[in-house]
Amino acid sequence: MRLLACCYNDPEMQIDPDTVYPIRPDCRDDAPKTRFKPRPGLTLSPRRWKLLHNEEGVLDIAGMIKRVQHGGVHPTIKGEVWEFLLGCYDPKSTTEQRSQLRQKRRLEYEQLKAKCREMDTTVGSGRVITMPVITEDGQPIENPNSDGGAAGSEQQNNGAPLPKEVIDWKLTLHQIGLDVNRTDRVLVYYERQENLARLWDILAVYSWIDKDIGYCQGMSDLCSPISIILEHEADAFWCFERLMRRVRGNFKSTSTSIGVRAQLTTLSTIMKSVDPKLHEHLENLDGGEYLFAFRMLMVLFRREFSFVDTMYLWELMWSMEYNPNLFSMLESGTGTSSANTKDESVLGQCGKFERKILQAAKKDDQIPLSVFVVASVIEARNKQLLGEAKGLDDVVKILNEITGSLDAKKACRGALQIHEKYLNTVKAS
């Protein structure tokens, strides 16, 4: 009983997340209100986080996942916890092993950043490029930015033609800058130029290493929370790189389509299975392709939730999708789990959603939890959509009105229920 009283009187658990990520005074009236508050006995606290590690620093991953699924993560330890949730570290690793890997990655990031700096000296300069610095045929644009934002973008090629991959990369730099200058501008954090430049550097380096996709709009929205909660830039970069492995398929595009369309098609199939009446209604309104849900999936609900609540939703989803083999899967590049579906010790370390997937033995073409969360959000507006939506504009209006009113935990709970119903429907068919 004394321990319980201590937990409930813990000053750490009385923190207001909005004081950790303060909003500019002139934006407070327009910014979505934060609903998440750390809850004693539910939220993973700094004290509990320490207790989940043994003397060598090995993490009790099952204990961590259980706590995060119940109440999210305390603001002061989000960075450390997210690194595990996104598979940056093996849960069986010791403190020393993680320290060695961290140093190795930091060195690798500095090497990547140095390479980018050779191609454009704005990288690492504390500035942000917001105007094109090169033409599509590789010719430099001299002093394109009157404020000096691209003044350091000279090419280190001694007049020789630039390789196509360098041209493609340099063509993205101003777009990254434009997006960075629009990202989370309600936060006091981005009033400092060095924080804008840090986000731009991370995205510029990522654009260089991902030759297939490079940079696309929406990536800054995904990277921003990670850049803020992780103190070291290199750690933030690798954490973002892990997140992109989950969602990069959404950004893959061809001349006729973009990758997220595949998830929208899946969403349509799910809604048709679990709520055929609403699906038919949306189809009759020319909304059967669910393009109105495009933004939710591309930036993982960044527009529907406040900054703090978005992070809460993400950690809920990642904990529910967690597989203890995530680190080894990412390191090997297999993308598949070798978990024995009958091994209770392994299943006990999985998140709720992942455990259900493994037990159903349906790892092929696995649907991410985020798609079911979208279905949950739509399903929660069932009566309003059926009763008030007379056209596609009405559907968009109704779903736009949910901003700031959604409960992350309720949305995830609804997603798990829809997933269960969907599995049963598919099994019956």
Side-chain angles (χ1 to χ4, degrees), residues 92-386:
K92 299 186 292 294
S93 63
T94 65
T95 300
E96 178 61 28
Q97 288 169 334
R98 290 194 294 275
S99 178
Q100 291 175 4
L101 181 55
R102 186 179 296 112
Q103 292 306 316
K104 177 185 174 185
R105 284 181 178 154
R106 287 178 178 179
L107 177 60
E108 185 177 351
Y109 177 69
E110 286 307 316
Q111 291 170 341
L112 290 170
K113 192 172 178 180
K115 170 62 179 174
C116 291
R117 194 179 301 118
E118 288 177 9
M119 297 183 291
D120 194 298
T121 57
T122 308
V123 175
S125 70
R127 298 192 301 273
V128 172
I129 291 175
T130 56
M131 297 288 284
V133 298
I134 196 171
T135 63
E136 292 195 2
D137 61 355
Q139 298 303 309
I141 298 175
E142 298 298 335
N143 298 319
N145 204 355
S146 59
D147 64 6
S153 60
E154 64 269 12
Q155 297 162 199
Q156 311 292 324
N157 64 323
N158 298 318
L162 288 171
K164 183 180 184 303
E165 62 182 16
V166 175
I167 295 174
D168 291 343
W169 176 72
K170 290 173 80 73
L171 286 170
T172 70
L173 297 182
H174 77 284
Q175 185 59 61
I176 296 173
L178 292 172
D179 288 350
V180 162
N181 281 339
R182 290 190 289 252
T183 302
D184 290 325
R185 292 318 299 268
V186 301
L187 298 178
V188 172
Y189 177 86
Y190 282 118
E191 290 184 333
R192 298 177 63 180
Q193 175 64 24
E194 64 195 73
N195 293 332
L196 291 169
R198 170 180 154 123
L199 178 59
W200 185 83
D201 283 345
I202 292 172
L203 291 167
V205 176
Y206 180 81
S207 178
W208 172 248
I209 68 164
D210 192 337
K211 298 292 194 294
D212 290 338
I213 296 175
Y215 174 81
C216 298
Q217 280 189 298
M219 290 183 184
S220 62
D221 292 293
L222 300 178
C223 186
S224 174
I226 294 173
S227 179
I228 290 173
I229 66 172
L230 281 158
E231 183 177 352
H232 199 287
E233 182 180 317
D235 299 342
F237 172 82
W238 291 114
C239 200
F240 172 65
E241 189 268 344
R242 288 298 197 261
L243 172 57
M244 284 305 301
R245 297 224 205 163
R246 288 172 174 259
V247 301
R248 71 186 295 274
N250 285 349
F251 294 94
K252 269 194 168 182
S253 60
T254 66
S255 58
T256 56
S257 68
I258 188 168
V260 73
R261 289 293 291 266
Q263 288 192 0
L264 293 173
T265 300
T266 301
L267 174 63
S268 176
T269 302
I270 292 169
M271 292 301 298
K272 186 176 182 180
S273 297
V274 302
D275 194 340
K277 184 178 179 181
L278 178 57
H279 175 75
E280 183 181 3
H281 180 61
L282 293 173
E283 270 199 322
N284 291 336
L285 300 178
D286 289 329
E289 293 185 342
Y290 289 79
L291 293 176
F292 52 81
F294 179 95
R295 187 182 68 186
M296 293 187 207
L297 290 172
M298 282 297 283
V299 295
L300 295 180
F301 307 94
R302 283 301 319 269
R303 303 294 183 273
E304 286 69 37
F305 290 85
S306 70
F307 181 79
V308 171
D309 288 343
T310 297
M311 294 195 291
Y312 178 40
L313 175 68
W314 286 4
E315 58 206 22
L316 286 177
M317 291 196 299
W318 297 338
S319 63
M320 291 177 181
E321 290 180 312
Y322 188 79
N323 184 302
N325 294 319
L326 178 59
F327 172 79
S328 58
M329 287 189 290
L330 292 173
E331 290 294 295
S332 65
T334 61
T336 58
S337 171
S338 58
N340 186 336
T341 57
K342 295 182 180 179
D343 188 336
E344 290 300 324
S345 65
V346 172
L347 290 176
Q349 295 177 351
C350 291
K352 295 177 182 178
F353 182 75
E354 177 69 4
R355 190 183 310 130
K356 185 68 69 174
I357 292 290
L358 289 173
Q359 290 171 332
K362 292 185 69 64
K363 288 299 289 183
D364 292 340
D365 196 28
Q366 181 179 334
I367 305 168
L369 180 57
S370 56
V371 178
F372 290 98
V373 173
V374 174
S376 170
V377 169
I378 296 172
E379 185 63 19
R381 299 298 182 277
N382 175 299
K383 290 184 180 179
Q384 191 177 5
L385 288 167
L386 286 172

Side-chain angles (χ1 to χ4, degrees), residues 3-4 6-7 10 12 41 43-65 67 77 80-81 91 95 98:
L3 179 63
L4 187 63
C6 175
C7 176
D10 185 352
E12 289 180 329
T43 302
L44 179 60
S45 67
R47 181 177 300 177
R48 172 62 62 180
W49 176 241
K50 290 179 182 177
L51 292 173
L52 286 172
H53 295 80
N54 68 15
E55 291 181 359
E56 293 183 330
V58 178
L59 176 65
D60 173 5
I61 194 66
M64 184 197 84
I65 293 301
R67 185 58 67 98
I77 56 170
E80 300 170 67
V81 178
T95 300
R98 290 194 294 275

Side-chain angles (χ1 to χ4, degrees), residues 68-84:
V68 177
Q69 287 179 152
H70 283 162
V73 182
H74 191 275
T76 60
I77 56 170
K78 282 187 186 295
E80 300 170 67
V81 178
W82 281 25
E83 287 182 302
F84 279 97

